[in-house]
Amino acid sequence: MNETHTSPATRRKVGFVSLGCPKALVDSERIITQLRSDGYELSGSYEDADVVVVNTCGFIDSARAESLEAIGEAIDANGRVIVTGCMGVKADDILQAHPKVLSVTGPQQYEQVVGAVHQHAPLVRQHDPFIDLVPSAGVKLTPRHYSYLKISEGCNHHCTFCIIPSMRGKLASRPAGDVLGEAERLVASGTKELLVISQDTSAYGADLKYRTDFWGGRPVKTRITELCQALGTLGAWVRLHYVYPYPHVDELMPLMADGLVLPYLDIPLQHGSPRVLKLMRRPAHAEKALDRIRRWRDTCPDLTLRSTFIVGFPGETDADFQELMEFIEEARLDRVGCFRYSPVDGARANDLPDPVPDAVAREREAIFMARQAEISAERLQAKIGTVQEVLVDEVGELGMIGRSHADAPEIDGKVWINGADHANPGDLLRVRITGADAHDLLGEAVDADEA
Ligand code: SF4
């Protein structure tokens, strides 16, 4: 497709490809919402679009390769491509691989992306806000019943394996009233679960000195505990992602025990050896994570913990790996992801001495995952016989599938539900758990008053 390919109709259509993590998805939602309110339509195919926006991920090599491939595909199918997102900070790499790309911008540069769309596919009639309605909650790329809620951008840490701060900048929190206003609109338009995301959820508000904001005329501090208290009044599930074990996270446990926030923490621990954590320069590495987890479970026994770990980090010795194994044995986490260390272009960890040979890292990964899979399976088995509240995600030919408080969408397990004929996505059911495998649960719907 060449410069003359624009729709003869009065409307301009934009194709959109969104790659990467939930944070990038929220960026895509924001760009699309702006484009829709400017009067653009979304196109379901490359061929039908006047221009295609590719929101890229540049976190690790495989994500960068996937981004370059997606750009190439869009150029072959359409020819008019605008690139944005994390990989946009490396404009030269993109333009070298794909010189026909029309414009490249980095993450969060919403105005620039929208400006590039206006430049390369100008609107041919004035947008009429009375005709071109945009949903009050904005345009969402997730199913209607759950939504990501981004509370801040960027990060003040300097983990040696990570280049996110150089891509997304320093911590910039949204004032509490702003976040709560968005959450309220999402719930009013059908959201049953709010997934709170950021790079560092526990640090929320630190950059604003936890200043007091206003929501519905009431004062609310821009701080994670106060934000959670207010979110908990909206009547939707509230799930917290990317929480570091800072001391004030203890304050969230009573809110979880009381049902204001789901008893679930996604807490990227990355290692169990203090020496490796120091090499990684992880936030809160000095905190005794195991003591903290024990205390959390004392206050909130139902707490589900998800985490991620890196094995084969430069300098990781056999003793460090042993310490990591002892850590997961003690911590008995519910859901765990494990990554073999891979150098990220521009990360300081690349300069650390004593790289771990790939064969050793692979072996450690296999040992780690085998043991953790047993622990996760035991944790699931222990749920057999309990009754869980389950949010229905899908009703289809394969049956009914939902998630309990212990399962975040996309990354955790599912609950396969029997015995509920008339439920719809977004409904909450009570389900007696009758079986479990390594990832998922099986259960029977029970009457609301049945324990
Ligand atoms: S906390 Fe560390 S890993 Fe997370 S975004 Fe910040 S620098 Fe990267």
Side-chain angles (χ1 to χ4, degrees):
M1 199 154 115
N2 56 40
E3 284 290 325
T4 58
H5 179 106
T6 49
S7 165
T10 52
R11 305 305 297 266
R12 287 286 181 249
K13 291 187 176 175
V14 181
F16 210 99
V17 180
S18 186
L19 304 168
C21 64
K23 284 156 276 200
L25 191 73
V26 173
D27 288 351
S28 295
E29 289 177 342
R30 190 157 163 190
I31 295 165
I32 292 171
T33 299
Q34 186 56 50
L35 289 171
R36 285 286 312 276
S37 52
D38 287 356
Y40 286 91
E41 277 180 16
L42 276 191
S43 165
S45 71
Y46 288 133
E47 290 71 19
D48 198 28
D50 292 299
V51 71
V52 177
V53 178
V54 182
N55 189 7
T56 57
C57 174
F59 188 43
I60 53 172
D61 290 350
S62 58
R64 278 202 293 277
E66 189 193 1
S67 295
L68 287 176
E69 203 178 300
I71 296 166
E73 209 175 277
I75 285 182
D76 289 348
N78 182 296
R80 297 169 56 78
V81 175
I82 289 168
V83 175
T84 187
C86 287
M87 207 184 159
V89 291
K90 302 236 164 180
D92 290 350
D93 289 4
I94 293 170
L95 291 169
Q96 204 176 357
H98 298 295
K100 286 186 184 159
V101 163
L102 299 172
S103 149
V104 181
T105 54
Q108 301 152 246
Q109 295 185 324
Y110 312 111
E111 288 80 15
Q112 286 90 328
V113 188
V114 171
V117 172
H118 278 272
Q119 184 191 341
H120 295 287
L123 290 163
V124 288
R125 71 160 171 81
Q126 280 301 309
H127 166 56
D128 182 344
F130 291 102
I131 298 170
D132 306 318
L133 290 178
V134 174
S136 62
V139 177
K140 277 165 30 65
L141 298 175
T142 47
R144 187 163 169 260
H145 63 281
Y146 66 80
S147 306
Y148 292 104
L149 183 65
K150 185 153 42 166
I151 60 171
S152 63
E153 274 294 354
C155 172
N156 285 349
H157 299 292
H158 303 282
C159 301
T160 51
F161 56 81
C162 178
I163 53 168
I164 284 177
S166 64
M167 292 193 294
R168 292 191 163 245
K170 285 203 161 295
L171 179 72
S173 303
R174 296 172 62 195
D178 200 21
V179 175
L180 288 162
E182 183 186 350
E184 209 171 17
R185 285 192 295 279
L186 288 167
V187 173
S189 57
T191 286
K192 299 288 169 53
E193 178 177 10
L194 294 162
L195 300 136
V196 174
I197 57 167
S198 69
Q199 306 297 344
D200 181 358
T201 295
S202 333
Y204 173 65
D207 54 312
L208 300 179
K209 303 204 166 34
Y210 306 116
R211 79 165 184 236
T212 298
D213 200 42
F214 289 88
W215 173 54
R218 273 181 287 144
V220 186
K221 250 186 164 183
T222 300
R223 188 170 176 277
I224 192 63
T225 309
E226 286 77 358
L227 180 74
C228 284
Q229 275 163 341
L231 287 172
T233 63
L234 293 176
W237 280 7
V238 178
R239 189 183 295 282
L240 302 180
H241 289 280
Y242 314 110
V243 176
Y244 290 107
Y246 300 135
H248 68 273
V249 174
D250 296 0
E251 297 170 12
L252 300 175
M253 293 305 129
L255 306 186
M256 293 186 179
D258 291 346
L260 276 181
V261 178
L262 289 182
Y264 176 100
L265 274 186
D266 174 5
I267 164 172
L269 293 164
Q270 309 300 20
H271 215 282
S273 151
R275 206 184 69 81
V276 176
L277 288 169
K278 206 163 170 199
L279 289 173
M280 291 176 168
R281 295 198 57 190
R282 291 294 289 164
H285 70 260
E287 304 303 331
K288 293 198 165 47
L290 283 174
D291 289 350
R292 189 137 261 132
I293 289 171
R294 243 176 255 126
R295 277 210 307 281
W296 290 345
R297 286 190 173 132
D298 284 346
T299 315
C300 182
D302 221 10
L303 180 66
T304 294
L305 288 171
R306 144 169 282 280
S307 191
T308 49
F309 291 86
I310 297 174
V311 293
F313 191 76
E316 182 192 65
T317 62
D318 283 342
D320 292 320
F321 179 64
Q322 199 44 46
E323 232 174 312
L324 170 61
M325 293 304 292
E326 283 161 20
F327 182 91
I328 59 156
E329 205 62 54
E330 280 272 315
R332 297 192 65 75
L333 304 171
D334 296 271
R335 310 276 187 190
V336 171
C338 177
F339 300 94
R340 244 177 305 123
Y341 173 75
S342 80
V344 173
D345 212 9
R348 283 171 308 145
N350 300 348
D351 303 328
L352 288 173
D354 307 319
V356 174
D358 195 47
V360 175
R362 279 177 195 278
E363 193 188 350
R364 288 179 184 165
E365 178 188 33
I367 294 170
F368 178 98
M369 282 317 285
R371 179 59 193 130
Q372 179 57 47
E374 288 169 356
I375 296 171
S376 295
E378 284 161 21
R379 306 265 311 156
L380 286 180
Q381 286 287 328
K383 296 188 179 190
I384 296 176
T386 63
V387 173
Q388 304 283 333
E389 193 171 44
V390 173
L391 182 65
V392 176
D393 273 335
E394 284 174 56
V395 181
E397 281 173 15
L398 288 175
M400 197 176 292
I401 303 171
R403 289 176 292 107
S404 71
H405 79 260
D407 315 302
E410 312 284 341
I411 50 176
D412 292 328
K414 297 175 173 35
V415 182
W416 295 81
I417 310 159
N418 288 321
D421 297 333
H422 303 297
N424 293 307
D427 286 352
L428 279 173
L429 299 176
R430 288 169 63 74
V431 175
R432 185 181 305 285
I433 305 302
T434 55
D437 65 15
H439 300 285
D440 297 341
L441 296 171
L442 178 71
E444 293 282 336
V446 296
D447 291 339
D449 50 359
E450 217 180 304

